[in-house]
């Protein structure tokens, strides 16, 4: 619950940055990274160490995503070479925006914080990764993970 309060405060900061300066994507991603590290620390304090990448991804999809966004991921796909694609068909941060195409170009800005949050969480689980997101139809989003190193 405390993690969600932090998350909600950070979301108001995101809205400030997006209104003030659209070039603050890196700052948002870095803020998300730090929040993700803290959330994972709290969520996994009583959890056994993960055995492999798939266990990590199951945790991210079920527990982490559910705790932060109040719903599970709709779809998880992998190429079995360290690339995972998570799909959320009603991404919570985009549902308040119109489904029209006029906001489609601004939608990725709202995903910078989320990408950073997931990357920070994975980092605290011992996984270096690249996390990107794309929006082709509102309010759905796809979050792509590329693992740069195997879980030890």
């Amino acid at each position: 619950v405390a993690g969600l309060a932090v998350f909600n405060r950070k979301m108001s900061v995101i809205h400030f940055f997006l209104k003030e300066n659209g070039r603050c994507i890196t700052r948002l991603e870095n803020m998300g990274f730090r929040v993700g590290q803290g959330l994972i620390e709290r969520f996994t304090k009583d959890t056994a160490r993960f055995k492999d990448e798939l266990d990590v991804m199951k945790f991210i999809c079920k527990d982490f995503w559910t705790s932060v966004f109040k719903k599970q991921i709709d779809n998880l796909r992998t190429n079995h070479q360290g690339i995972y694609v998570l799909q959320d068909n009603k991404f919570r941060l985009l549902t308040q925006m119109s489904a029209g195409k006029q906001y489609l170009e601004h939608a990725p800005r709202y995903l910078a914080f989320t990408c950073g949050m997931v990357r920070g969480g994975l980092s605290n689980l011992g996984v270096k990764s690249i996390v990107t997101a794309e929006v082709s139809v509102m309010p759905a989003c796809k979050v792509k993970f590329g693992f740069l190193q195997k879980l030890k």
Side-chain angles (χ1 to χ4, degrees), residues 65-129:
W65 204 268
T66 302
S67 296
V68 174
F69 298 111
K70 302 294 185 210
K71 68 182 288 291
Q72 284 188 9
I73 287 290
D74 294 309
N75 195 355
L76 168 64
R77 295 177 187 251
T78 182
N79 67 355
H80 301 289
Q81 296 175 357
I83 304 292
Y84 295 87
V85 178
L86 310 179
Q87 183 163 347
D88 189 335
N89 294 327
K90 291 185 180 175
F91 186 59
R92 190 169 185 180
L93 301 181
L94 298 179
T95 55
Q96 302 301 315
M97 299 173 82
S98 171
K101 293 190 180 217
Q102 71 268 27
Y103 297 108
L104 199 56
E105 69 184 61
H106 300 293
R109 295 178 186 175
Y110 286 88
L111 298 172
F113 183 84
T114 302
C115 287
M117 191 171 54
V118 172
R119 192 173 63 84
L122 289 171
S123 172
N124 256 19
L125 294 175
V127 178
K128 289 185 182 177
S129 62

Side-chain angles (χ1 to χ4, degrees), residues 9-148:
R9 279 193 302 258
K10 295 295 184 182
M11 289 314 302
S12 62
V13 172
I14 287 173
H15 292 295
F16 170 77
F17 275 130
L18 291 176
K19 286 179 187 173
E20 289 298 312
N21 185 352
R23 295 181 303 239
C24 294
I25 303 297
T26 302
R27 280 192 200 166
L28 290 173
E29 203 268 344
N30 288 335
M31 285 172 37
F33 185 85
R34 290 189 301 273
V35 169
Q37 286 179 317
L39 289 175
I40 282 291
E41 234 174 75
R42 287 186 192 123
F43 296 159
T44 60
K45 68 180 178 182
D46 297 325
T47 306
R49 190 170 171 92
F50 299 108
K51 292 180 271 183
D52 56 15
E53 286 179 7
L54 191 56
D55 280 348
V56 169
M57 292 313 299
K58 285 179 184 177
F59 178 82
I60 294 291
C61 292
K62 291 181 179 179
D63 300 321
F64 184 76
W65 204 268
T66 302
S67 296
V68 174
F69 298 111
K70 302 294 185 210
K71 68 182 288 291
Q72 284 188 9
I73 287 290
D74 294 309
N75 195 355
L76 168 64
R77 295 177 187 251
T78 182
N79 67 355
H80 301 289
Q81 296 175 357
I83 304 292
Y84 295 87
V85 178
L86 310 179
Q87 183 163 347
D88 189 335
N89 294 327
K90 291 185 180 175
F91 186 59
R92 190 169 185 180
L93 301 181
L94 298 179
T95 55
Q96 302 301 315
M97 299 173 82
S98 171
K101 293 190 180 217
Q102 71 268 27
Y103 297 108
L104 199 56
E105 69 184 61
H106 300 293
R109 295 178 186 175
Y110 286 88
L111 298 172
F113 183 84
T114 302
C115 287
M117 191 171 54
V118 172
R119 192 173 63 84
L122 289 171
S123 172
N124 256 19
L125 294 175
V127 178
K128 289 185 182 177
S129 62
I130 296 175
V131 181
T132 60
E134 66 180 47
V135 177
S136 53
V137 178
M138 298 280 275
C141 75
K142 290 182 181 177
V143 180
K144 297 179 182 179
F145 299 75
F147 286 4
L148 298 176

